[in-house]
Amino acid sequence: MSKYLSVIVPVFNVERYLHKCIKSIADQTFADLEIILVNDGSTDSSPQICDDFAKNDSRVKVIHIKNSGVSVARNIGIEKATGEYITFVDSDDWLELSMYKKMLEINSQKGQIDVIMCDFTNIRERTTEEVSADIRKGFYSKNQIIQELYPTLLVTENFGRIPIISVWSCLFKSTLLKENKILFDADLKYSEDYLFMAEIMTKAYAFYYLKDHYFYNYLQYETSRSKKYQPMWWDNLSLLNKKLNSLLENNQEYNFTRQVKLQLLHSVQLILNSIYVNKEMNYNKKLQMISFIMNRNELKTAFSNLKFNQQRTSQKVVLFFIKNSMSLTYLLYRKTTSIIKNV
């Protein structure tokens, strides 16, 4: 029998956190849900933990697949989901127990909403931070989505955190995904949420933001692959930008040309910073990697006919270095500013 909400959890070698994660879903005050655990070829005790939960709770479904990546695992979950709404949870995170009840109460009050979003708490080893999006709370019609959310759908002018990016803080109308054939792109090894959410928001007709309700606990630990520099980052983020451009270049509701360009430049700044702070890379290697990235043809295209009026002076300086492929100057600038900050 189908449930109202399908919760999809891709699982890969998270035995340390998995029990807490699943229990926080199973113990939700909103009980009309199914939990789809997609074991993505785990080699630790995660598969057994999944199976144990399934034996004791009929709402839990376990799917075992060979290791294929988080996008494939999520897509399998979408295919198997029977709920009117679909959501996702990362298997090392956990939820406040009233999360789904409070979010779905909004839908019962406002009608059929395509996307409902709440806030989250960023959990680090020594600190926690409540993270809220820089948009107003409440309901957005299609016209309001275009006018208020599209301008920062991919990037903000000052390269801050964009308001809508994380799939795990959102509930999605199942028909929105399935009728539009929206899936995660398995070609992307990082930032897979980015493209997914961009497509979701350009297809959505109703959005609701439950602001200042920090229902999702996002665990950010030191070894997180999303924070430490990876050699494949440039190829992946360049591919992401191409796919974003392909998705949005013919959009009839809004001109995303500037955003697509700025999104690539934002990605480059993140990569350059991750190279600079990498303690395992010597100076010459850093210089080589930064020079390689700054000389990409895609950047020349991105800077074409692009002016910077709203960025901070420090951002304009870095963009000038990137535009003119000044890799050595960039490293010296970063080193100098670091010294000044520590004086």
Side-chain angles (χ1 to χ4, degrees), residues 250-262:
N250 296 317
N251 189 284
Q252 300 298 308
E253 300 164 334
Y254 189 86
N255 186 349
F256 285 98
T257 303
R258 179 175 175 84
Q259 277 198 60
V260 171
K261 290 184 174 186
L262 287 176

Side-chain angles (χ1 to χ4, degrees), residues 227-270:
K227 301 300 177 185
K228 190 175 180 180
Y229 174 73
Q230 305 287 326
M232 291 177 60
W233 265 13
W234 167 253
D235 290 338
N236 185 87
L237 291 175
S238 176
L239 178 62
L240 168 64
N241 188 259
K242 289 182 175 69
K243 288 178 179 288
L244 287 169
N245 185 62
S246 178
L247 172 69
L248 300 169
E249 63 181 342
N250 296 317
N251 189 284
Q252 300 298 308
E253 300 164 334
Y254 189 86
N255 186 349
F256 285 98
T257 303
R258 179 175 175 84
Q259 277 198 60
V260 171
K261 290 184 174 186
L262 287 176
Q263 190 276 332
L264 181 62
L265 297 181
H266 185 211
S267 295
V268 168
Q269 291 178 74
L270 293 175

Side-chain angles (χ1 to χ4, degrees), residues 3 5 25-34 59 100-101:
K3 299 291 185 179
L5 175 66
I25 304 170
D27 290 350
Q28 286 287 303
T29 53
F30 181 85
D32 188 17
L33 52 79
E34 62 178 355
R59 300 173 302 167
Y100 295 146
K101 180 179 180 181

Side-chain angles (χ1 to χ4, degrees), residues 26 48 59 75 85 138 150-151 155 193 197 216 227 236-237 249 276 298 311 318 341:
Q48 185 61 51
R59 300 173 302 167
N75 289 342
Y85 277 84
Y150 278 14
V155 66
D193 288 13
M197 289 303 294
Y216 192 96
K227 301 300 177 185
N236 185 87
L237 291 175
E249 63 181 342
Y276 174 75
E298 297 96 318
Q311 290 71 25
V318 169
K341 287 179 180 178

Side-chain angles (χ1 to χ4, degrees), residues 234-322:
W234 167 253
D235 290 338
N236 185 87
L237 291 175
S238 176
L239 178 62
L240 168 64
N241 188 259
K242 289 182 175 69
K243 288 178 179 288
L244 287 169
N245 185 62
S246 178
L247 172 69
L248 300 169
E249 63 181 342
N250 296 317
N251 189 284
Q252 300 298 308
E253 300 164 334
Y254 189 86
N255 186 349
F256 285 98
T257 303
R258 179 175 175 84
Q259 277 198 60
V260 171
K261 290 184 174 186
L262 287 176
Q263 190 276 332
L264 181 62
L265 297 181
H266 185 211
S267 295
V268 168
Q269 291 178 74
L270 293 175
I271 295 173
L272 296 183
N273 181 69
S274 68
I275 293 172
Y276 174 75
V277 301
N278 192 316
K279 296 179 180 179
E280 300 172 6
M281 195 180 296
N282 63 40
Y283 187 86
N284 287 335
K285 183 64 175 177
K286 290 180 180 180
L287 182 60
Q288 177 186 350
M289 294 299 299
I290 291 172
S291 179
F292 170 81
I293 292 169
M294 284 188 176
N295 283 284
R296 295 303 89 199
N297 288 331
E298 297 96 318
L299 296 185
K300 309 302 179 186
T301 303
F303 277 110
S304 176
N305 299 317
L306 197 63
K307 294 183 179 180
F308 304 101
N309 299 317
Q310 301 181 44
Q311 290 71 25
R312 301 189 303 271
T313 300
S314 59
Q315 292 173 331
K316 291 180 181 179
V317 169
V318 169
L319 289 166
F320 179 82
F321 295 153
I322 297 171

